[in-house]
């Protein structure tokens, strides 16, 4: 487990399972909730992905990142997908309780965005930051209003996982020899073209911590007569986001409503209105044969769904800040770290919002580290 300077790891025992947590050397455990930030990673990744931004945040914040079950060094306990992502969010709650953190600013990336939205439905939070989050209606198989395309959610869940990619996770393949190798998937899906990093080996290492044991990634599938011939089973990571199990659009009715920052890359290949990981979109492109047409199997408008739900949240009194990052992919915190950092610190109230209109005099902005 490759840890960056100033980052430590420890296993936190809870009544549910042992959870691996990354922390910063010198952070004060007595830090108040309004200065505590907790990062939650997405699918096929781990807390290792957060280390750069953890290093770069002001030293008077308390900053942590957790490994979800089946990822990183957290126990590889089977996942009950019929609960949506509640196994993950309940694990997170018990972990924060064990650490003496009653509330915090939660930052969720991709699937982790769904986890922190579910967390907010069940427990109080200071704020939510959603980075390239899964749609509030899950991944695949829904119309813009969230209604399901079929009763069996055909084309969603674990059956959509590429078997060769899963095998390469099992083999701990670190090469870029095939489009399905984790390194190639990182380059083509996690970031936009042109991104390079001296830490790419660490990002691949993080992906390879994904447990492929029974009940973890990707999960089980069942056959169905509905195109493309499979539907979600009841266990495993990918099935947690099937629309029959996952729907966090109820956040619009939260009271009180924590402020929400929604930040995403405009070149995201994973969470998009035309996602290359959506079987219906791939069917429309001819990649998956037999597509029955847009009337039956339209691509899921993921970004539009999120925008609609957050607009309803705002209409009911919630504070929502939308930050599209031009040209960035699925990982804004890696690709545009300064912009991500500024947006997060502004959102949690650590720095002030820019004046609108801007003052007539020149302003000089200094980082806290300066």
């Amino acid at each position: 487990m490759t840890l960056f300077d100033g980052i430590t790891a420890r296993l936190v025992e809870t009544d549910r399972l042992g959870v691996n947590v990354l922390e910063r050397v010198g952070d004060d455990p007595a830090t108040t909730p309004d200065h505590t930030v907790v990062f939650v990673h997405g699918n096929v990744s781990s807390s290792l992905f957060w280390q750069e931004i953890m290093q770069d945040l002001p030293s008077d914040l308390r900053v942590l990142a957790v490994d979800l079950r089946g990822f990183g060094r957290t126990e590889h306990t089977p996942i009950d997908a019929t609960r949506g992502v509640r196994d993950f969010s309940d694990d997170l709650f018990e972990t924060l309780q064990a650490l003496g953190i009653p509330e915090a600013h939660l930052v969720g990336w991709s699937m982790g965005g769904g986890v922190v939205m579910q967390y907010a439905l069940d427990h109080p939070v200071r704020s939510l930051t959603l980075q390239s989050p899964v749609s509030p209606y899950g991944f695949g198989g829904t119309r813009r209003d969230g209604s399901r395309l079929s009763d069996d959610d055909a084309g969603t869940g674990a059956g959509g996982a590429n078997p060769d990619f899963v095998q390469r996770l099992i083999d701990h393949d670190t090469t870029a020899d095939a489009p399905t190798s984790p390194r190639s998937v990182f380059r083509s899906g996690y970031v936009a073209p042109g991104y390079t990093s001296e830490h790419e080996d660490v990002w691949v290492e993080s992906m390879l911590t994904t447990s492929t044991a029974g009940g973890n990634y990707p999960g089980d599938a069942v056959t169905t007569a509905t195109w493309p011939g499979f539907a979600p089973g009841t266990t495993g990571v990918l099935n947690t986001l099937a629309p029959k199990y996952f729907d966090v659009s109820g956040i619009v009715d939260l009271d009180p409503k924590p402020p929400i920052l929604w930040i995403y890359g405009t070149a995201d290949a994973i969470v998009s209105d035309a996602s290359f990981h959506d079987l219906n979109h791939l069917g429309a492109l001819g990649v998956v044969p037999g597509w029955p047409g847009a009337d039956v199997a339209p691509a899921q408008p993921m970004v539009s769904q999120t925008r609609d739900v957050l607009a309803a949240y705002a209409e009911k009194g919630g504070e929502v800040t939308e930050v599209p990052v031009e040209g960035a992919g699925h990982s804004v915190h890696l690709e545009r770290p300064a912009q991500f950092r500024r947006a997060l610190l502004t959102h949690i109230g650590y720095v002030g919002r820019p004046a609108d209109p801007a003052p007539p005099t020149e302003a000089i902005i200094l980082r806290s580290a300066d």
Side-chain angles (χ1 to χ4, degrees):
M1 187 177 188
T2 304
L3 297 178
F4 294 179
D5 290 345
I7 306 295
T8 63
R10 64 165 159 151
L11 193 67
V12 176
E13 295 292 347
T14 76
D15 291 338
R16 295 175 60 81
L17 76 172
V19 176
N20 188 62
V21 178
L22 298 192
E23 299 172 286
R24 300 190 305 182
V25 174
D27 280 5
D28 185 355
T31 302
T32 56
D34 61 307
H35 273 55
T36 301
V37 180
V38 178
F39 291 101
V40 182
H41 65 82
N43 188 20
V44 191
S45 62
S46 75
S47 59
L48 294 180
F49 267 97
W50 294 116
Q51 292 187 93
E52 285 184 319
I53 193 68
M54 290 175 70
Q55 289 178 315
D56 202 30
L57 289 178
S59 60
D60 55 339
L61 295 175
R62 186 183 185 189
V63 181
L64 311 93
V66 299
D67 283 337
L68 300 176
R69 68 166 63 190
F71 299 96
R73 287 189 170 179
T74 291
E75 288 185 37
H76 297 173
T77 309
I79 299 159
D80 180 359
T82 66
R83 304 186 68 234
V85 295
R86 289 179 182 87
D87 274 358
F88 295 134
S89 62
D90 288 351
D91 293 344
L92 178 61
F93 175 74
E94 292 295 333
T95 303
L96 298 187
Q97 291 296 108
L99 292 169
I101 301 174
E103 291 184 38
H105 300 285
L106 299 186
V107 182
W109 171 36
S110 195
M111 182 181 75
V115 173
V116 301
M117 283 189 275
Q118 182 62 59
Y119 188 104
L121 285 170
D122 299 328
H123 310 289
V125 299
R126 301 294 297 190
S127 74
L128 295 177
T129 295
L130 310 175
Q131 180 190 218
S132 305
V134 64
S135 162
Y137 301 113
F139 200 92
T142 57
R143 303 175 185 87
R144 182 160 177 171
D145 64 0
S147 58
R148 293 161 58 197
L149 298 179
S150 63
D151 292 338
D152 54 10
D153 290 339
T156 72
N162 186 300
D164 192 59
F165 175 66
V166 176
Q167 186 60 52
R168 289 172 183 271
L169 289 176
I170 294 170
D171 295 340
H172 288 263
D173 177 15
T174 62
T175 73
D177 292 345
T180 51
S181 69
R183 190 179 298 273
S184 297
V185 170
F186 171 80
R187 292 175 179 175
S188 64
Y190 285 42
V191 293
Y195 169 83
T196 60
S197 169
E198 63 180 316
H199 300 307
E200 184 179 84
D201 286 347
V202 181
W203 312 149
V204 175
E205 173 190 338
S206 176
M207 295 172 71
L208 292 175
T209 68
T210 302
S211 172
T212 54
N216 291 127
Y217 184 86
D220 61 336
V222 298
T223 58
T224 176
T226 311
W227 184 90
F230 67 85
T234 60
T235 65
V237 177
L238 295 187
N239 293 327
T240 67
L241 301 178
K244 68 192 298 184
Y245 305 134
F246 179 89
D247 184 344
V248 294
S249 61
I251 61 170
V252 300
D253 296 318
L254 281 177
D255 185 20
K257 288 180 165 59
I260 294 178
L261 167 64
W262 175 32
I263 184 167
Y264 59 93
T266 61
D268 192 338
I270 297 175
V271 176
S272 165
D273 284 2
S275 169
F276 289 102
H277 293 250
D278 181 351
L279 267 290
N280 289 353
H281 178 58
L282 294 178
L285 295 176
V287 176
V288 181
W291 182 60
D295 291 341
V296 176
Q300 181 190 14
M302 303 176 187
V303 174
S304 296
Q305 289 175 332
T306 298
R307 182 171 290 112
D308 291 347
V309 169
L310 294 184
Y313 188 89
E315 288 171 3
K316 292 193 174 185
E319 176 187 336
V320 176
T321 303
E322 177 178 347
V323 180
V325 180
E326 190 65 32
H330 192 57
S331 311
V332 175
H333 71 291
L334 299 182
E335 301 169 74
R336 304 285 196 278
Q339 189 168 353
F340 181 87
R341 177 182 183 275
R342 177 73 191 195
L344 175 61
L345 291 178
T346 302
H347 175 59
I348 68 174
Y350 188 87
V351 297
R353 299 179 186 276
D356 187 13
T361 55
E362 181 180 4
I364 299 175
I365 306 299
L366 295 178
R367 292 174 33 161
S368 63
D370 298 326

